[in-house]
Amino acid sequence: MHSHWVVLFLCCFGQLPADQSMKPQLAAPQLATNNPTLTTVALEKPFCIFDSSLDPNKSYAIYLYAMKKSANAISSLVTDSSSKPLDSTFQQTLGGQLGPYKAASFDVPNCASPPKLADAGDTNKASDVLKQYLFRVGDDVTCLYDPNFLDICNPPLAPDTTYRFKYVLVDNTDGIMKDQTLWSDPIKTKRAKLPMKIDTWPGGRSGGMIVITSILSVLMFLLLAGFLASVFSAVVGSEDPSAEAKNMAQTTQQSESSPQLSSE
């Protein structure tokens, strides 16, 4: 049963057993829509890539490195002269501009027993499945500004910027690199739209949105008309009736006194 899911996974994601041409890949659209975003890139974890390099008596981890495409190729090494992986941070490399920084560290994915792809459609299991299959670079929006944060910082990427990524297999026992992939193909984050370029013309909206907007406009007009009618009614009703009665009494009195004056 386990082998069935391994084969299915490799077919769906187009990954082959470990070789020298493996590169980190964008996550399949079925599992990560809107990828890349303005500040993140979702990558497939390296399932079944480093299995031939694993020793059952040792402990391993996967390091993920990121750098901007504009970084100097000479500075793209991720190990020192003794094959120890670099601990360069986002801040030290100016967000990958000066060279690669360590964006993540996680356990080696279990090739023999991957999560079931069918579970990705279950709302109760989807989150766990995606965490096991994918890693989202740029997903931590607080680590740069938290003075108490001691883990690996994975801050948002820059919009409209091209990056490359690399997976490294690290022997935790000896603290050295055991294997690595090639750098990924260039992956560019999305570009933010300028406010003046955002389409506000009704033609860019769906028919349903236009109907809803029209209904809301009519309701707003009726509400305003009702409010004005209420104000007008209140103003008219606020006139003093006693003053009007007094005026009428004075007029009547003048009318009655006029004949008396003429008779004298």
Side-chain angles (χ1 to χ4, degrees):
M1 182 66 177
H2 292 334
S3 60
H4 167 75
W5 284 110
V6 171
V7 172
L8 179 59
F9 176 81
L10 295 179
C11 291
C12 291
F13 290 88
Q15 293 181 339
L16 299 174
D19 59 42
Q20 296 302 314
S21 63
M22 193 276 170
K23 303 175 182 179
Q25 302 288 333
L26 281 174
Q30 297 87 338
L31 297 180
T33 57
N34 189 29
N35 182 38
T37 67
L38 289 173
T39 58
T40 66
V41 172
L43 300 174
E44 296 173 6
K45 286 187 175 181
F47 272 84
C48 308
I49 299 303
F50 297 120
D51 281 24
S52 61
S53 301
L54 301 177
D55 185 331
N57 298 318
K58 291 188 176 183
S59 171
Y60 297 91
I62 300 291
Y63 288 1
L64 171 62
Y65 287 90
M67 71 173 180
K68 292 183 179 179
K69 181 185 176 183
S70 57
N72 192 328
I74 299 177
S75 62
S76 64
L77 296 177
V78 295
T79 60
D80 59 20
S81 57
S82 60
S83 295
K84 290 187 176 182
L86 300 178
D87 287 324
S88 302
T89 66
F90 183 91
Q91 297 94 320
Q92 292 170 342
T93 62
L94 300 181
Q97 182 174 338
L98 302 180
Y101 67 91
K102 186 162 64 172
S105 174
F106 50 84
D107 294 335
V108 179
N110 189 347
C111 181
S113 182
K116 298 179 180 180
L117 296 179
D119 289 342
D122 187 334
T123 55
N124 296 322
K125 300 179 180 179
S127 178
D128 182 61
V129 170
L130 293 180
K131 286 181 181 179
Q132 294 183 64
Y133 273 132
L134 312 177
F135 183 83
R136 190 174 294 276
V137 188
D139 205 29
D140 193 334
V141 298
T142 62
C143 62
L144 283 180
Y145 313 104
D146 184 355
N148 300 317
F149 189 85
L150 302 177
D151 203 351
I152 300 172
C153 189
N154 176 34
L157 303 175
D160 193 28
T161 304
T162 303
Y163 290 86
R164 292 180 183 272
F165 306 95
K166 176 192 281 284
Y167 284 125
V168 175
L169 177 66
V170 178
D171 183 338
N172 291 329
T173 306
D174 299 327
I176 61 173
M177 181 189 72
K178 186 68 175 179
D179 203 351
Q180 63 180 322
T181 68
L182 299 177
W183 283 101
S184 71
D185 294 330
I187 300 174
K188 190 174 184 179
T189 54
K190 287 188 176 180
R191 182 178 183 178
K193 285 188 176 182
L194 297 176
M196 65 284 297
K197 291 187 176 181
I198 297 177
D199 183 15
T200 59
W201 180 250
R205 289 168 165 72
S206 67
M209 292 179 64
I210 295 175
V211 171
I212 293 174
T213 303
S214 301
I215 293 174
L216 291 177
S217 299
V218 172
L219 290 177
M220 183 60 69
F221 172 78
L222 295 176
L223 180 63
L224 181 60
F227 174 74
L228 293 176
S230 299
V231 172
F232 178 77
S233 176
V235 171
V236 172
S238 64
E239 292 185 356
D240 187 0
S242 61
E244 183 178 356
K246 184 177 180 180
N247 291 335
M248 293 180 63
Q250 290 177 349
T251 303
T252 303
Q253 184 178 2
Q254 291 176 358
S255 299
E256 293 177 349
S257 61
S258 295
Q260 295 177 359
L261 291 176
S262 54
S263 63
E264 290 178 357

